[in-house]
Amino acid sequence: MDRFQEMQVFVRIADRQSFTLAADDLRIPRATVTNLIKRLEQRLGVRLLERTTRQVRTTHDGQAYYHRCVRLLSDLEETESAFRDAPPKGLLRVNLQGTLARHFVMPAMGGFMAQYPDITLHVGEDDRLVDLVREGVDCVLRAGTLQDSSLVGRQVAALEQVTVASPDYLHRHGVPVHLDDLSRHRAVDYAGSSGSSGRLAGLDFRVGTQVEERQLPSRIAVTGADLYTGAALSGLGLIQVPRYRVAGELADGRLQEVLADHPPPPMPVTVLYPQNRQLSARVRVFAQWLAALFEQHAASQRRD
C-alpha cells in the first residue's frame, strides 16, 4: 500500500474518529486499517492517534499531519483529474434537506447517476446542520440562511416564497390586505431544535427594494417543515414557505396566499462543504448538477 493510500486511510480515521467506520467507508478490512496505521506511525516515528474503547482522536502530531494530508490529497486528486481529463469517480457522501430531497433531488437522481457512472452515492436525509467532517459527509444541501462559519457554500437556487394561511384561519381573523393589518394576526413559529412556543415570530415582507420584518405573536413553535405546513393547515396561523412546498394546497384551496404584493424574499438553497477542503471534482459536478436542476424548476415556474 503506497503513501497516498496511507494518508487516505489516516484522514478517514481522523474524520470518522473510528477505525471501524473508516474501514466501512473505504471498503477494506478493519484489520488492514489497523495494521496500516501501525506501520505508518512506525515509519514516521510519532504517535498519530490516541485510541480508547469509545473514541479515536488525533494527537498533536496527528493533527498537524492530518492538515497536511488533507491538502496533499486534494491537490493530488485535482492534479490527476486535470491531466487525465477523466470523469470524476469514487464515493460521494451527501446529506439533503428532507423536502428538497423528496421534491427535487431524488426524482431526478437517476439523471445524475447516468451522467456520472463512475460516482457511487451515499445519500442521507436530515434538516439539522450536519458535522460534515466527523460524520464523513462530503457536502450537504440546505435551504435558508446559514451562519456556520466553518463551512463554505455555493448557492444553487433562490426559491420563491409565499405567505399563506388556511381559509378557516382567515375567516376568523380576516384577510390582511396591508402590512398594518397584521396587528390582529398570529404566526406559526418555525424554531430550532431547542426552540419554544410563545415568543414573537418574525415574518419578512418586501416593500419596494427593502425587506421589513413584522413580529407576530405565536402560540405554537415547530421544528420541521411538514409540521410547519401542517400547523397552517390546522388554522393555527400565518406561515412563510417556498411556493413549491404548498403548491398542491394552494391549488385545491386548503391554503390561501395573502399579501401577494409584499412577498417574502427568496429562500437561498446552498451546497455546503468544509472550508479546509478543496472542492473535489465529485462535489463540484454534483453542485453544478444541482444548480442546473433548480434552474430548470425556476424556468418552468416562469413559463407557468
Side-chain angles (χ1 to χ4, degrees):
M1 187 170 288
D2 60 28
R3 293 186 180 184
F4 168 75
Q5 291 172 310
E6 287 179 346
M7 288 189 290
Q8 189 177 44
V9 171
F10 168 73
V11 166
R12 182 57 68 174
I13 293 171
D15 285 346
R16 300 289 265 154
Q17 299 183 1
S18 166
F19 279 68
T20 300
L21 293 177
D24 291 343
D25 289 350
L26 297 171
R27 300 178 183 180
I28 58 178
R30 189 191 186 287
T32 300
V33 170
T34 301
N35 292 331
L36 183 146
I37 294 300
K38 287 181 180 178
R39 291 198 300 268
L40 177 60
E41 290 179 327
Q42 289 172 358
R43 181 166 58 80
L44 295 177
V46 296
R47 191 169 184 82
L48 300 173
L49 298 167
E50 293 178 346
R51 308 156 179 83
T52 68
T53 55
R54 294 185 177 181
Q55 193 177 32
V56 177
R57 295 183 301 179
T58 54
T59 63
H60 178 74
D61 288 328
Q63 192 66 19
Y65 186 65
Y66 169 83
H67 289 301
R68 294 192 178 195
C69 286
V70 167
R71 290 194 297 270
L72 287 169
L73 290 172
S74 296
D75 288 344
L76 180 58
E77 181 177 0
E78 293 303 306
T79 300
E80 289 189 345
S81 296
F83 281 95
R84 287 199 313 263
D85 195 26
K89 65 179 181 179
L91 179 64
L92 176 63
R93 292 178 173 270
V94 301
N95 188 279
L96 309 174
Q97 194 167 38
T99 53
L100 296 175
R102 292 189 291 274
H103 190 90
F104 293 106
V105 184
M106 294 311 295
M109 189 64 85
F112 176 82
M113 298 182 73
Q115 187 174 353
Y116 299 101
D118 294 326
I119 293 180
T120 301
L121 284 160
H122 185 287
V123 182
E125 176 188 323
D126 221 317
D127 286 340
R128 65 186 175 87
L129 191 56
V130 173
D131 186 334
L132 277 74
V133 173
R134 184 168 184 177
E135 299 182 40
V137 176
D138 295 306
C139 65
V140 299
L141 180 70
R142 292 292 184 268
T145 302
L146 302 171
Q147 305 297 328
D148 190 337
S149 60
S150 68
L151 302 176
V152 176
R154 172 184 173 179
Q155 184 171 319
V156 295
L159 300 175
E160 178 191 3
Q161 293 201 92
V162 291
T163 306
V164 300
S166 71
D168 173 65
Y169 170 86
L170 295 173
H171 176 73
R172 288 183 282 112
H173 295 269
V175 177
V177 178
H178 306 287
L179 293 184
D180 290 342
D181 296 338
L182 292 171
S183 60
R184 61 177 184 270
H185 284 269
R186 294 185 181 276
V188 177
D189 191 7
Y190 195 98
S193 58
S194 60
S196 60
S197 61
R199 64 191 175 111
L200 294 180
L203 299 181
D204 293 329
F205 300 90
R206 281 186 291 183
V207 180
T209 60
Q210 305 298 315
V211 175
E212 290 189 13
E213 182 182 32
R214 295 298 175 104
Q215 299 285 343
L216 277 66
S218 174
R219 294 185 60 197
I220 182 171
V222 299
T223 60
D226 291 337
L227 290 175
Y228 192 52
T229 303
L233 288 167
S234 297
L236 301 180
L238 298 167
I239 65 170
Q240 291 183 328
V241 289
R243 182 180 292 275
Y244 82 88
R245 286 222 318 251
V246 292
E249 291 84 350
L250 289 172
D252 63 23
R254 286 182 291 156
L255 290 176
Q256 181 178 331
E257 182 178 2
V258 298
L259 297 168
D261 291 337
H262 301 289
M267 177 178 287
V269 178
T270 309
V271 176
L272 298 155
Y273 57 93
Q275 65 176 350
N276 65 339
R277 304 287 183 85
Q278 292 190 25
L279 189 62
S280 73
R282 293 183 297 276
V283 174
R284 183 184 303 111
V285 297
F286 186 65
Q288 290 170 346
W289 177 78
L290 286 172
L293 181 67
F294 282 104
E295 176 54 34
Q296 290 173 6
H297 169 75
S300 67
Q301 293 292 104
R302 291 193 292 268
R303 288 195 297 270
D304 293 342

